Amino acid sequence: MSKLSPLIGSDYPFPPKPAVLSVQEKLDYKEKIKQLLIEKDAVLVAHYYTDPEIQALAEETGGTVADSLEMARFGRDHKANTLIIAGVRFMGETAKILTPNKMVLMPELEATCSLDIGCPVDEFSDFCDQHPERTVVVYANTSAAVKARADWVVTSSIALEIIEHLDSEDKKIIWGPDRHLGAYIEKQTQADMIMWQGDCIVHDEFKASALRDMKAIYPDAAILVHPESPQSVVELADVVGSTSQLINAAKTLPNKQLIVATDAGIFYKMQQVCPDKELFAAPTGGEGATCRSCAHCPWMAMNGLKAIYNSLIDATGHEVDVDEEVAKGALVSLDRMLNFAAEQQLKVKGNA
Ligand code: 13P
Ligand code: SF4
């Protein structure tokens, strides 16, 4: 039943790497950015996959470093008039849809995501039209237009609960675009799902057999895996979860060594929350390896200090704009997720 998306594997155009800055240039940019954030009433919202210096700057300036769900909530609830979203395009669009009255800037508007590229709205919409009886659930890593076509948006931190909920209402599901995350959720929930065949070029590169070899070298290490990874890698995991769930697991697990299968950007925060633990990157090498990303998202890497500075100096070419009608449609499916997440939080608090 599933359909192949038109862009799979190594066909993705990779962006140029950001310019390398000297130590002095970095210090200068950081100071200027700190000043400009105050002057422009702006706050820096960064994803865990951005480079460590960007995450540190977000923390130092009263912004946040978070997963995609928390980034959306933080931007929506923060009082600043301008949000600087250091992440990828869908995160900027989500911020704009949730707070249309704020100015939403991105260091690089070209920072996209292979899942977004691999799920063009017209093709995805045709796919949905072939199954009108199904509820359309899309991952947050999609364009605003795809979100507008969907009934629900989910992020990896709440996907399982939302699909469980829909399954309990006997809903049949169209899932898009990440086939690995979809397969993981299908296995966990036994929900009736048909899948769009997209993937994340970063997580798709983790290799199960090399991971098995690594585990043999570090038998006491726990394996932490983001569910955008292939099923063969997920099967070796002690913990499967979103970025924030993996960071939490790193902190609470008794193991002193951890093998981590997700973007290398996460090590900054993970090491901060468990400084006494030894962290190893899961292998992207081995049989069939291309190592095009080598476990670091090339689009997240576009969020450099110079680009942040430029966006604060002149918003032209940095401002996120979402068509009003599209935004209206996307808000419905996004709000469903946010309301569901809020209800879940209330239940947890009530049980505490
Ligand atoms: P999170 O929702 O876990 O932050 O993941 C976003 C993402 O792009 C993962 O590759
Ligand atoms: Fe997209 Fe993968 Fe980059 Fe996340 S890591 S933004 S899923 S390409």
Side-chain angles (χ1 to χ4, degrees):
M1 263 308 181
S2 52
K3 177 178 163 176
L4 287 182
S5 55
L7 283 160
I8 287 275
S10 58
D11 289 342
Y12 296 106
F14 270 38
K17 289 196 163 76
V20 179
L21 301 175
S22 69
V23 175
Q24 192 53 49
E25 282 172 322
K26 284 185 186 184
L27 287 173
D28 290 347
Y29 275 122
K30 277 188 205 162
E31 280 320 302
K32 286 181 199 160
I33 291 168
K34 283 180 187 173
Q35 197 54 39
L36 283 164
L37 285 170
I38 298 167
E39 278 170 28
K40 308 257 169 165
D41 187 22
V43 66
L44 183 56
V45 184
H47 190 265
Y48 291 125
Y49 294 166
T50 54
D51 289 345
E53 63 201 5
I54 306 302
Q55 297 185 46
L57 189 59
E59 289 177 325
E60 279 169 39
T61 54
T64 195
V65 184
D67 68 6
S68 55
L69 178 62
E70 196 43 43
M71 283 173 82
R73 286 195 287 226
F74 183 91
R76 180 196 60 186
D77 299 338
H78 199 278
K79 63 178 188 345
N81 284 322
T82 299
L83 306 176
I84 314 285
I85 305 293
V88 293
R89 175 88 196 178
F90 80 86
M91 295 167 179
E93 285 187 346
T94 299
K96 185 67 191 172
I97 294 163
L98 294 177
T99 54
N101 297 330
K102 289 186 186 178
M103 180 179 267
V104 178
L105 302 176
M106 292 197 69
E108 289 285 353
L109 285 177
E110 299 300 312
T112 182
C113 163
S114 63
L115 288 165
D116 190 348
I117 301 175
C119 189
V121 66
D122 290 343
E123 279 98 326
F124 184 68
S125 211
D126 287 349
F127 180 55
C128 299
D129 290 346
Q130 288 162 29
H131 308 281
E133 74 291 358
R134 287 181 178 260
T135 300
V136 180
V137 182
V138 299
Y139 195 28
N141 302 37
T142 46
S143 65
V146 166
K147 290 184 177 75
R149 178 62 184 81
D151 300 299
W152 285 79
V153 172
V154 300
T155 70
S156 53
S157 62
I158 199 152
L160 213 50
E161 289 88 340
I162 288 181
I163 297 293
E164 257 165 14
H165 163 73
L166 294 173
D167 185 48
S168 73
E169 294 184 334
D170 288 330
K171 297 266 186 359
K172 293 180 176 184
I173 287 149
I174 288 182
W175 169 270
D178 190 315
R179 64 194 169 110
H180 295 314
L181 179 58
Y184 168 69
I185 293 168
E186 186 179 39
K187 196 164 173 217
Q188 295 295 309
T189 61
Q190 304 294 314
D192 182 335
M193 295 166 71
I194 55 173
M195 318 272 181
W196 187 258
Q197 294 291 305
D199 54 39
C200 158
I201 45 114
V202 178
H203 292 86
D204 195 47
E205 285 188 336
F206 290 113
K207 299 279 176 285
S209 74
L211 180 55
R212 241 179 258 112
D213 293 345
M214 196 167 183
K215 174 76 181 174
I217 299 170
Y218 303 108
D220 297 331
I223 299 178
L224 312 184
V225 176
H226 194 286
E228 287 171 15
S229 309
Q231 211 169 336
S232 55
V233 173
V234 169
E235 278 164 10
L236 299 174
D238 295 292
V239 176
V240 181
S242 69
T243 45
S244 50
Q245 289 162 348
L246 295 183
I247 290 167
N248 202 32
K251 194 161 67 172
T252 51
L253 283 170
N255 310 60
K256 289 286 175 208
Q257 293 178 324
L258 305 166
I259 302 174
V260 185
T262 192
D263 186 286
I266 205 168
F267 287 105
Y268 168 77
K269 199 74 196 162
M270 220 175 236
Q271 197 73 78
Q272 205 181 58
V273 299
C274 46
D276 57 324
K277 295 192 182 178
E278 216 177 340
L279 308 179
F280 302 104
T284 50
E287 207 190 319
T290 56
C291 202
R292 290 198 73 207
S293 79
C294 290
H296 188 34
C297 177
W299 296 291
M300 289 283 184
M302 294 173 87
N303 292 279
L305 291 170
K306 191 173 176 191
I308 295 176
Y309 170 75
N310 288 342
S311 70
L312 280 160
I313 283 289
D314 182 0
T316 315
H318 295 277
E319 192 170 355
V320 179
D321 184 31
V322 183
D323 173 87
E324 227 173 278
E325 274 308 299
V326 171
K328 222 160 81 183
L331 185 60
V332 176
S333 51
L334 271 166
D335 264 347
R336 281 202 181 112
M337 168 181 75
L338 291 168
N339 293 337
F340 182 90
E343 280 167 29
Q344 293 284 105
Q345 275 183 338
L346 280 180
K347 274 189 207 158
V348 172
K349 272 189 194 147
N351 291 337

